[in-house]
Amino acid sequence: MTHELVATERNRGRVVAWGLWDWGSAAFNAVIVTFIFSVYLVEGVGDDVPGPFRASTWLGLSSATGAVLIAVLAPVLGRRADAGGARKKTLFWLTLAVVVITASLFFVESDWHFLWLGLVLLAAGSVIFELTQVPYFAMLRQVSTPDDVGRVSGFGWAMGYFGGIVLLLICYFGFVAGSGDTRGFLGVSTENGLNIRLIAPLAAGWFLLFAIPLFLKVPELPATANDDAPKVGIADSYRGVWNDITQMWREDRSTLKFLIASAFFRDGLAGVFAYGAVLAVSVYSIDKDDVILFGVAANVISAAGALLAGRWDDSIGPRAVIVFSLVSMIVCGTVLLFVDGPRMFWIFGLGLCLFVGPAQSASRTYLTRITTPGREGQNFGLYAMTGRAVSFMAPLMFALTIWAGNLVLGTDTDRWGIAGIMVILAIGLLLLLRVPRHVEDRARAIVG
């Protein structure tokens, strides 16, 4: 049944349908988490929240809490989806849950009493959205061939960024642009944050609409795909995950090293987008309404990087793409720590975004290349688990460096959060450089 697990020739319809899910997912990833709703929570809902912490600190702490849940749930989810031939079914229910949570953000009014509701919904949505990545990433091999897996992966990331661009423009001109008591060409009232709250059901509908083609075009994984992992109970699934990890430690330690390294640098990559908009407003004096325009530019740059990196991935290998991207991001982030003003943020903030997509896409294809067919869900479950096992680090470092920097220097700024994110990226880079190169040679042998 191998031909059902690994595509032997490119089916453009399936590739496009798979990529459209990424296009739709930008509704949550770009609009809700990164450029609109997180800014609304920090600068609008929680601007005057009482207590020892700023709203941005509460945002970081809630994100760290959600990360723990992802680490616990992801590996079992992937393992059971492989064993039961339920990748698409699992993805469907998780996608639907994200859609419902996204729509529920409409009820978060512009008052600090609603901050806790917003943080809970945003954290819950982030947890479930991250879990969707397990079956979705595992489908990569079903829609790509060994010769074009890098390009298909890059295409998916680019579709996500372009989807974010289109929806951000709709949100900006329809609900945000302008001044006064009504905003956008729709003339929506700003009372109780209504113009921003209406974006939540719009984003939910967008995600649902563009997710549908995947469920119609991409086939379900055969139930017998993973003959060694029959469908078992939850407790047995956790025991199976532990057995997978111990076996990998004994027989394939280099892959485990890659999973750990990628956990750190992926957490840093997520931190760039999770807190970039917040920093743009609070540190670099970009108007909180105009930050959406920066989001559009950031998505254009990131999409271009992902598309270019896909071709390099197939030719020179994913490791080189990841290393170059991380080094470039650390340079841009370090410069940002010492400059001021909107112009500098536009230059070096977009510099950061240029390399996020390549690092994300190459990391996904790296694991796909070294995974035995039929076990993609299992390994991407471990990928998510290791990622989320340390994913509290970027939010926590973001929060702690803000607190420590302000305490030591007597300032009141979120600037120091940049240093925390760069530290996490640097740790990931150093760990990746310790992964033996023979792992990539073996990856080429498997996919060849």
Side-chain angles (χ1 to χ4, degrees), residues 108-142:
V108 180
E109 297 182 17
S110 183
D111 183 296
W112 71 264
H113 293 89
F114 289 87
L115 176 64
W116 321 116
L117 174 63
L119 291 174
V120 169
L121 288 175
L122 194 62
S126 297
V127 169
I128 299 174
F129 182 79
E130 187 71 22
L131 294 178
T132 66
Q133 307 295 298
V134 177
Y136 179 70
F137 286 5
M139 288 181 177
L140 175 58
R141 184 171 266 159
Q142 291 173 253

Side-chain angles (χ1 to χ4, degrees), residues 154 157 161 269 273 302-303 305-306 309 325 352-362:
W157 283 113
Y161 289 127
L269 297 175
F273 269 90
S302 298
S325 298
L352 275 171
C353 294
L354 177 63
F355 299 103
V356 172
Q360 290 172 323
S361 179

Side-chain angles (χ1 to χ4, degrees), residues 27-28 32-33 37 41 69 93-108 116-132 197 199-205 207-208:
F28 184 81
I32 300 299
V33 175
F37 223 87
L41 282 180
L69 293 176
W93 288 112
L94 292 173
T95 299
L96 189 60
V98 175
V99 168
V100 171
I101 290 173
T102 301
S104 300
L105 288 167
F106 169 79
F107 299 104
V108 180
W116 321 116
L117 174 63
L119 291 174
V120 169
L121 288 175
L122 194 62
S126 297
V127 169
I128 299 174
F129 182 79
E130 187 71 22
L131 294 178
T132 66
R197 290 161 51 209
I199 290 173
L202 172 64
F207 192 3
L208 182 62

Side-chain angles (χ1 to χ4, degrees), residues 312-325:
W312 293 336
D313 187 319
D314 288 328
S315 59
I316 65 175
R319 179 191 175 106
V321 172
I322 298 170
V323 170
F324 180 77
S325 298

Side-chain angles (χ1 to χ4, degrees), residues 129-275:
F129 182 79
E130 187 71 22
L131 294 178
T132 66
Q133 307 295 298
V134 177
Y136 179 70
F137 286 5
M139 288 181 177
L140 175 58
R141 184 171 266 159
Q142 291 173 253
V143 298
S144 65
T145 68
D147 292 332
D148 66 9
V149 60
R151 279 169 285 176
V152 172
S153 180
F155 168 75
W157 283 113
M159 286 289 282
Y161 289 127
F162 283 128
I165 293 167
V166 175
L167 187 56
L168 282 170
L169 287 173
I170 292 173
C171 292
Y172 179 75
F173 290 109
F175 300 88
V176 178
S179 59
D181 295 334
T182 60
R183 299 293 176 87
F185 65 79
L186 296 176
V188 182
S189 171
T190 60
E191 185 177 0
N192 287 328
L194 180 63
N195 64 317
I196 302 298
R197 290 161 51 209
L198 282 174
I199 290 173
L202 172 64
W206 179 278
F207 192 3
L208 182 62
L209 176 64
F210 288 105
I212 291 173
L214 180 147
F215 301 111
L216 297 178
K217 296 285 292 184
V218 180
E220 180 60 278
L221 181 74
T224 56
N226 191 350
D227 295 326
D228 297 328
K231 192 171 184 178
V232 294
I234 294 177
D236 288 334
S237 295
Y238 277 108
R239 283 192 286 270
V241 170
W242 177 252
N243 291 335
D244 293 339
I245 295 172
T246 55
Q247 182 179 4
M248 188 176 288
W249 175 259
R250 292 192 304 268
E251 302 174 5
D252 194 12
R253 198 169 299 180
S254 295
T255 297
L256 188 59
K257 288 181 179 180
F258 168 71
L259 288 173
I260 295 171
S262 74
F264 277 91
F265 69 70
R266 284 184 290 123
D267 192 36
L269 297 175
V272 170
F273 269 90
Y275 304 113

Side-chain angles (χ1 to χ4, degrees), residues 31 40 68 82 344 396 419:
V31 173
Y40 170 65
V68 175
D82 278 352
M344 290 293 99
L396 188 59

